[in-house]
């Protein structure tokens, strides 16, 4: 086994690799860009080397710089993760030329699978079924159009150098062929520098089922299948293993074909053979065709780990360091069912637009495996894929595991950015998916319903109002509301929720006991016995407050913005004279002193919280009566920091 490896990646996969390396006693070296100096993968590594600017081309794609970092830190091998340099044969050769081990396949194996047309030809030779179509060299449009006619419509045009669904066009009828060809070639030229395409029969009601393989350079085993049919624009959303409705004969046939494919190219390490499956009327042993091979560890590898009990990264390290295959085919078996959901910072109603933000709150349920590259307070930057985490569940049956997935998603609390969590939760309860009737068109057919933004009900709004007033904290905080001597019996607060203003009146009716009036609704909210109760019903609400932003997690994440809270407190007769800490943090600077005349908006102090600095401003013109904190002091949320003298006009 290696003493030390370098991980040429970032995010969750870099962290994932380091966790296994650590368990095996292998030291780790991280590399990082300017944008990732404080990233989780850097914190987890034994050593970390800065490799350049935030754009991938200036850092994570700089093979020479990464190899130098490995040599300088004494790493013996490089794990590429997925993406970036993981399927770049030139990088593999450079790593080996530097006397290091590439944890993955040979450059030759990657090249053989690199172009879809050549890979298909090779697979035909190895007796692996391929999708009927044309994958020859002749790129003359008339010839390609003739090939499409011969195959029979609908057809799919695919860029031979394609990936991520780019350069791919579905053509329904001959009249559309030439236009689609032109646009596919244009996109392929821009994205891959190679305009060549192949033509395939478009499989109706297609399912994407892939087989995990593992080779030692000569022999290979398979670790069964994953179903990745839940896709949006050819991108996987939720994956599962095993495939619903899989029959033993088809599993055996697909596994054997995948092993033939891997052995045909002398594959070493973890790889995936992707098949397209005709799901129109049940699974059959002759209803699957090779699409492509991914010559790396895949994002969705955890579902295979869950059902086989194998740590695929451990296998990668062991085989790369010279050991044989850790298990034989007959030793491998499937136990239970697993799902993985990919949680992203993205704006679902806005067409899944990638989002950025600082994760002011991040909490996952203990019932799921969570592979993540971020911690609370970390930032989702615009430089990389906006993944927050992968949530993986494993249960005895598909039904149990899917229920676990939905529950886990409903207990995934993220604030500070928009996410696809509620979309994933709705998807995990989608009737066709629940019934195992999956195909790659499922999400698109139900997209409108799945992408609605959840709107808070009046109960959730009541909870938000209490939280905004600081009267109610997360159920995990110390029990009991922050009751203070001068709390009046009535408070009012205004919140924004989805561009609508909510005015709430909160009346204290007992210790920790409140009535919330929203105009159109009234609820009774109470904290007791370690939980929150709304109208005599115990509820699972959790809260996160970050400055004026407030999120109530209650089945969904409901975001609120608290309108001018200090002014409001003034109305209620308490806080107009007090500048309080809006969240727990460290006082970085105090600019005010007793007796000082200040104007509204003057900066009186700076609070550092969640790695960000927040200026605390004077809410009105006045005179500082008292400074209650000093530099370097840690303060609680709501702590009084600076008091202004009684407002004369108000007093008069
Ligand atoms: P890329 O490399 O760009 O991701 P793939 O060849 O892996 O392209 O295909 C991506 C997705 O496109 C598949 O998962 C499947 O949903 C769909 N697809 C690919 N080939 C076919 C086909 N012949 N018929 C129907 N759908 C297909």
């Amino acid at each position: 086994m290696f003493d030390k490896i370098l991980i040429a990646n970032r995010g969750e996969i870099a962290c994932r690799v380091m966790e296994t390396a650590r368990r095996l006693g292998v030291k780790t070296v991280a590399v990082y860009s300017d944008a990732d100096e404080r990233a989780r993968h850097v914190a987890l590594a034994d050593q970390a080397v800065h490799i350049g600017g935030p754009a991938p081309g200036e850092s994570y794609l700089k093979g020479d710089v990464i190899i130098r970092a490995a040599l300088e830190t004494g790493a013996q091998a490089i794990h590429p993760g997925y993406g970036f340099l993981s399927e770049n044969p030139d990088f593999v050769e450079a790593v080996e030329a530097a006397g290091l081990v590439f944890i993955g396949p040979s450059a030759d194996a990657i090249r053989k699978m690199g172009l879809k047309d050549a890979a298909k030809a090779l697979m035909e030779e190895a007796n692996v079924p391929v999708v009927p179509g044309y994958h020859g060299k002749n790129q003359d449009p008339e010839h390609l159009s003739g090939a499409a006619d011969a195959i029979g419509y609908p057809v799919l045009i695919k860029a031979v150098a394609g990936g991520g669904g780019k350069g791919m066009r579905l053509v329904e009828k001959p009249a559309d062929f030439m236009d689609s060809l032109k646009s596919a070639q244009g996109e392929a030229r821009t994205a891959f520098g190679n305009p060549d395409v192949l033509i395939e029969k478009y499989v109706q009601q297609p399912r994407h089922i892939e087989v995990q393989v593992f080779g030692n350079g000569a022999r290979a085993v398979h670790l069964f299948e994953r179903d990745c049919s839940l896709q949006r624009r050819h991108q996987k959303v939720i994956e599962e293993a095993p495939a619903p409705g899989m029959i033993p004969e088809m599993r055996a046939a697909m596994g054997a074909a995948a092993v033939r494919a891997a052995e045909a190219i002398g594959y070493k390490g973890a790889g995936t053979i992707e098949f397209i499956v005709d799901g129109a009327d049940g699974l059959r042993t002759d209803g699957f065709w090779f699409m492509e091979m991914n010559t790396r560890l895949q994002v969705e590898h955890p579902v295979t780990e869950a059902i086989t009990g194998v740590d695929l990264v451990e296998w990668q390290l062991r085989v790369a360091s010279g050991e044989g295959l850790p298990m034989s085919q007959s030793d491998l078996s499937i136990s239970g069912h697993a799902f993985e959901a990919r949680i992203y910072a993205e704006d679902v109603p806005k067409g899944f637009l990638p989002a950025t933000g600082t994760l002011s709150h991040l909490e996952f349920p203990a019932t799921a495996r969570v592979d993540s590259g971020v911690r609370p307070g970390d930032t989702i930057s615009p430089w990389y894929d906006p993944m927050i985490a992968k949530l993986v569940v494993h249960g005895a049956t598909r039904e149990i595991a899917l229920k676990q997935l939905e529950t886990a998603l409903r207990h995934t609390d993220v604030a500070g950015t928009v996410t696809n969590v509620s979309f994933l939760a709705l998807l995990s309860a989608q009737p066709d998916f629940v019934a195992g009737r999956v195909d790659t068109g499922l999400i698109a057919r139900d997209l409108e319903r799945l992408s609605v933004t959840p709107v808070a009900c009046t109960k959730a709004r009541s909870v938000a109002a209490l939280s905004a007033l600081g009267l109610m904290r997360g159920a995990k905080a110390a029990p009991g509301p922050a009751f203070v001597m001068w709390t009046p019996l009535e408070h009012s607060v205004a919140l924004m929720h989805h561009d609508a203003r909510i005015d709430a009146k909160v009346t204290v009716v007992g210790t920790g006991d409140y009535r919330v009036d929203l105009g159109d609704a009234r609820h009774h909210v109470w904290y007791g016995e370690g939980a929150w109760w709304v109208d005599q019903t115990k509820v699972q609400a959790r809260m996160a407050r970050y400055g004026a932003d407030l999120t109530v997690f209650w089945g969904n994440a409901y975001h609120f913005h608290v309108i001018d809270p200090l002014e409001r407190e003034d109305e209620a007769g308490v806080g107009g004279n007090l500048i309080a800490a809006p969240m727990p943090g460290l006082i970085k600077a105090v600019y005010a002193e007793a007796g000082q005349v200040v104007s509204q908006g003057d900066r009186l102090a700076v609070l550092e919280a969640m790695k960000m600095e927040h200026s605390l401003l004077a809410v009105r013109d006045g005179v500082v009566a008292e400074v209650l904190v000093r530099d370097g002091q840690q303060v609680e949320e709501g702590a009084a920091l600076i008091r202004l003298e009684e407002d004369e006009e108000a007093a008069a």
Side-chain angles (χ1 to χ4, degrees), residues 116 131 156 158 162-166 168 200-203 206 208 231 234 274 276 291-292 440:
K116 290 185 204 282
V131 189
L156 202 59
K158 277 189 190 178
K166 285 210 184 80
M168 196 149 93
E200 263 178 17
K201 174 87 194 146
Y202 182 74
V203 178
H208 174 123
Q231 303 184 349
H234 308 302
E274 293 190 335
I276 188 101
M291 274 195 300
E292 65 170 351
T440 61

Side-chain angles (χ1 to χ4, degrees), residues 116 120 131-132 154-156 158-159 161-168 170 192 199-210 228-229 231 233-236 274-277 289-294 296 439-441:
K116 290 185 204 282
K120 280 182 82 172
V131 189
V155 298
L156 202 59
K158 277 189 190 178
K166 285 210 184 80
M168 196 149 93
L170 168 62
F192 314 112
I199 316 290
E200 263 178 17
K201 174 87 194 146
Y202 182 74
V203 178
Q204 304 280 355
Q205 234 179 295
R207 283 177 65 175
H208 174 123
I209 301 181
E210 58 187 35
C228 309
S229 299
Q231 303 184 349
R233 300 207 177 148
H234 308 302
Q235 300 288 330
K236 298 163 185 169
E274 293 190 335
F275 294 101
I276 188 101
V277 170
W289 301 276
F290 171 88
M291 274 195 300
E292 65 170 351
M293 178 171 191
N294 290 319
R296 55 174 154 83
D439 70 83
T440 61

Side-chain angles (χ1 to χ4, degrees), residues 34 65 79 224 267 270 349 427 439 519 528 549 593 606:
D34 289 341
V65 178
H79 193 299
F224 314 105
Y267 196 76
L427 182 56
D439 70 83
D549 292 311
E593 49 186 74
V606 174

Side-chain angles (χ1 to χ4, degrees), residues 69 92 99 141 423 547:
V92 177
F423 165 79

Side-chain angles (χ1 to χ4, degrees), residues 1-5 18 20-28 46 317:
M1 183 48 70
F2 307 112
D3 294 319
K4 192 191 271 188
I5 62 170
M18 285 177 202
T20 289
R22 169 157 307 168
R23 190 170 56 70
L24 300 179
V26 177
K27 292 194 264 316
T28 56
D46 296 308
L317 298 190

